[in-house]
Amino acid sequence: MADVAIIVPTLRRPEGLERALRSLFVQTGVGDRVSGIVVVDNDPAGSAAAGVDALRNLAPWPLVYVHAPRPGVATARNAGLAASTAPLIAFLDDDEAASPGWLAALLKAQESTGADAVFGPITGRAPDASAWLEPYLERFFGREGPARTGLIETPFGCGNSLMVRATALPGSAPFDTASDQAGGEDDALFAALRARGGRFGWAADAWVEEFAPAHRATLGYALARAFAYGQGPSQTAAAASDWPAVLRWMVIGAGQTVVWGAAAAALTLVGSPKRAELYDRTARGVGKLFWMKGFEPHFYGAREVARLDAANA
């Protein structure tokens, strides 16, 4: 029974997209479960079309190309969902490569746990990073979880996930397009799922590798992302009008900023490479304090297209 669609959003990463797709073509243990692979090209110029066409004959399942010309991460995910009616949806990002047993492990975990959304581990790769930053960045772009498959309390991001469409992805456009530029569309989705009583699962064997592009394998980019991650709890509480929770997160953030900031300053003075981890923790604390509109870093959509245009000028 072909009941799973794999959605791969992409934006001007031809090499990464090819690597991701080739990793999907060699998935094992899924038999006839896959209804198709949906590539969502979020470049206004439609630059991924030729690359997808070149790989179509290698695909063991239908390879569907969708052009979503309005740049935005939520828009791209919604466009992928609109191109399939499959009851189970797997997401793989265009900077990831799945291990051969990836999808089978996600499916097995979903069946054993009954979770509405299942996540797997990620090995981070930052080959273009400075030597002292590489260990930190590989941890930053990676994802760790329990040693065994089972239910978990805290969800992760959409990259490397499997979701039950009826419960985790309700409606025609479950991802909030207000998050198109800054991201966080998955945080909002999972907060709503939790409020409905949804359950989250972990597939310990569903490994993928995530390759940080050169422009992301930097301390500045990682700390901007850390700041945005720090904003998440405060923003989620504010969206629910839970102002006592907002205050609590801000107090926590203030404490983290002071404690980790002081420790980071000390390690900077002695030149320790471990300072990167403390910069990260400090940035997350600052994010909890400055969660309001206007402070969100923009990593996606029009901002990313403009960066790529400038880089290619």
Side-chain angles (χ1 to χ4, degrees):
M1 178 178 64
D3 59 348
V4 186
I6 306 169
I7 296 177
V8 185
T10 189
L11 176 58
R12 295 194 196 173
R13 288 183 186 163
E15 293 179 359
L17 177 61
E18 180 174 350
R19 180 175 54 214
L21 292 178
R22 286 182 179 275
S23 78
L24 295 177
F25 297 165
V26 295
Q27 290 297 296
T28 60
V30 290
D32 59 355
R33 296 289 299 272
V34 180
S35 64
I37 301 170
V38 180
V39 176
V40 185
D41 186 355
N42 206 206
D43 181 4
S47 59
V52 173
D53 283 342
L55 293 171
R56 186 165 277 113
N57 290 338
L58 301 177
W61 310 289
L63 183 58
V64 179
Y65 173 83
V66 175
H67 188 204
R70 185 167 75 90
V73 60
T75 291
R77 296 196 192 281
N78 286 336
L81 290 170
S84 173
T85 59
L88 295 172
I89 302 293
F91 286 100
L92 187 75
D93 290 342
D94 67 353
D95 56 0
E96 295 177 331
S99 60
W102 168 72
L103 184 58
L106 285 175
L107 289 168
K108 184 177 180 181
Q110 195 283 320
E111 290 162 4
S112 66
T113 63
D116 303 283
V118 178
F119 310 90
I122 297 173
T123 299
R125 304 293 187 201
D128 297 307
S130 301
W132 78 274
L133 272 177
E134 188 172 357
Y136 158 70
L137 290 174
E138 289 189 342
R139 287 191 295 273
F140 181 85
F141 289 106
R143 176 194 291 171
E144 295 182 352
R148 296 183 179 181
T149 294
L151 290 171
I152 55 175
E153 291 295 323
T154 303
F156 293 91
C158 276
N160 188 5
S161 69
L162 176 74
M163 302 187 208
V164 178
R165 186 168 193 150
T167 55
L169 298 163
S172 59
F175 292 101
D176 184 1
T177 56
S179 302
D180 263 349
Q181 312 303 312
E185 78 292 346
D186 40 11
D187 291 337
L189 182 83
F190 298 139
L193 176 58
R194 185 195 297 280
R196 296 193 300 271
R199 297 191 296 173
F200 306 106
W202 178 256
D205 297 324
W207 282 96
V208 308
E209 291 180 285
E210 181 168 326
F211 297 84
H215 77 279
R216 292 189 173 188
T218 67
L219 183 60
Y221 178 85
L223 294 184
R225 288 291 293 265
F227 174 84
Y229 292 150
Q231 289 180 310
S234 298
Q235 289 176 338
T236 299
S241 297
D242 187 348
W243 303 113
V246 171
L247 180 60
R248 179 169 62 86
W249 282 116
M250 291 182 72
V251 169
I252 291 171
Q256 291 174 333
T257 300
V258 171
V259 172
W260 297 123
L267 289 187
T268 300
L269 288 175
V270 298
S272 170
K274 294 182 180 179
R275 65 189 185 274
E277 297 280 359
L278 300 185
Y279 294 157
D280 181 295
R281 296 183 187 186
T282 304
R284 292 173 193 252
V286 176
K288 292 179 179 66
L289 288 170
F290 294 94
W291 55 268
M292 309 83 170
K293 273 195 172 299
F295 288 103
E296 308 101 324
H298 288 179
F299 304 107
Y300 306 103
R303 181 67 61 85
E304 179 68 357
V305 170
R307 187 198 66 79
L308 291 167
D309 285 341
N312 294 325

